[in-house]
Amino acid sequence: GWLAPTGACAAPVWARWPYLEPWVATIAFFVWIALYKTLECGGDIRQAIKAQVDGDEKHVRIAGVGYFIGIYLFKQVAPPAEIDWSCPSPGFLVVETAVGVLAYDAIFYCLHRLMHAFAYRLHARHHSSGPRVNAQEVLNQDVVDASLQVLTNIFVQRRGLRGPKNWLARIMHNIIVTLLLTDSHADTPWRLSDMFPRFLAGAARHREHHATGGPPY
């Protein structure tokens, strides 16, 4: 059927590289932050580059290095994920990706609320810029806060709709989650969450959360 995996082919060899997904997530964050930074600068690419080169994104570079160190250490102790290496049908790919993104959002929403209620010091760095939030603030986190986000992502990627999650849905998940996280922090009217506020209500009001430090979460 439309939602069934096709099983007609197998994933290419490059898709089986153990560090493909961390690199996809890292490159996706780089692309989305650069894109939204350019939009924040009114489309002036040179100004956006200058803002980044002048140290506006120091914590972004630190986050990237820390992320790969964490992933390497995780891989030394955790069993490798079971992955469905077959080719998915378009319908199955869309549904499995959407379910994973929604699961990530629901779980980290709960963790976010818990940190604000009981362990704000673990999350305080993310609010250190006050109401002046922009795209790169998405990665302004301390180690525990960032680790919880990464572990939540790993957890929801472990299982799919019918057992092991499909390899292509795993890649799409990382691209979409990094887009939505960056979009929710960007300081531009060209955010997806502003264009579709009913569909992306939480993301649309996330800057309001940064301004108040309270609801909406």
Side-chain angles (χ1 to χ4, degrees):
W2 188 68
L3 292 178
T6 65
C9 62
V13 174
W14 55 263
R16 298 172 185 262
W17 182 40
Y19 286 90
L20 174 66
E21 289 180 43
W23 272 109
V24 167
T26 301
I27 292 170
F29 255 136
F30 175 82
V31 170
W32 299 136
I33 290 173
L35 173 63
Y36 279 101
K37 192 65 182 176
T38 302
L39 292 173
E40 289 173 349
C41 293
D44 189 331
I45 296 176
R46 282 192 286 186
Q47 183 181 346
I49 294 173
K50 185 176 185 299
Q52 297 175 58
V53 172
D54 287 349
D56 201 19
E57 290 196 352
K58 180 179 178 181
H59 60 265
V60 174
R61 296 189 289 272
I62 293 173
V65 173
Y67 172 64
F68 273 97
I69 292 173
I71 290 295
Y72 173 79
L73 294 175
F74 180 83
K75 285 182 175 291
Q76 305 312 303
V77 297
E82 295 182 57
I83 299 175
D84 171 15
W85 295 109
S86 68
C87 294
S89 66
F92 184 83
L93 176 62
V94 169
V95 173
E96 186 161 76
T97 302
V99 169
V101 172
L102 289 172
Y104 168 85
D105 189 54
I107 293 171
F108 198 76
Y109 170 81
C110 296
L111 292 173
H112 186 207
R113 290 294 301 267
L114 288 171
M115 283 191 287
H116 270 274
F118 303 108
Y120 183 71
R121 63 185 180 83
L122 301 178
H123 188 59
R125 178 176 169 180
H126 189 59
H127 286 268
S128 60
S129 64
R132 298 182 62 184
V133 187
N134 47 43
Q136 65 265 24
E137 291 302 312
V138 65
L139 294 178
N140 189 15
Q141 302 164 297
D142 72 12
V143 174
V144 176
D145 193 357
S147 297
L148 286 173
Q149 277 204 334
V150 173
L151 289 172
T152 300
N153 206 54
I154 290 172
F155 176 74
V156 301
Q157 292 276 60
R158 287 271 158 163
R159 305 300 293 176
L161 296 177
R162 298 175 178 174
K165 192 166 182 176
N166 186 266
W167 68 277
L168 197 52
R170 292 171 65 97
I171 291 175
M172 292 300 298
H173 173 96
N174 284 311
I175 294 171
I176 293 171
V177 164
T178 52
L179 167 61
L180 294 177
L181 286 172
T182 308
D183 181 90
S184 68
H185 293 80
D187 184 15
T188 172
W190 297 101
R191 300 191 309 161
L192 287 175
S193 49
D194 286 334
M195 297 177 190
F196 306 99
R198 297 184 66 181
F199 182 62
L200 300 170
R205 300 187 66 190
H206 190 69
R207 289 175 54 79
E208 181 182 340
H209 163 66
H210 272 267
T212 64
Y217 294 97

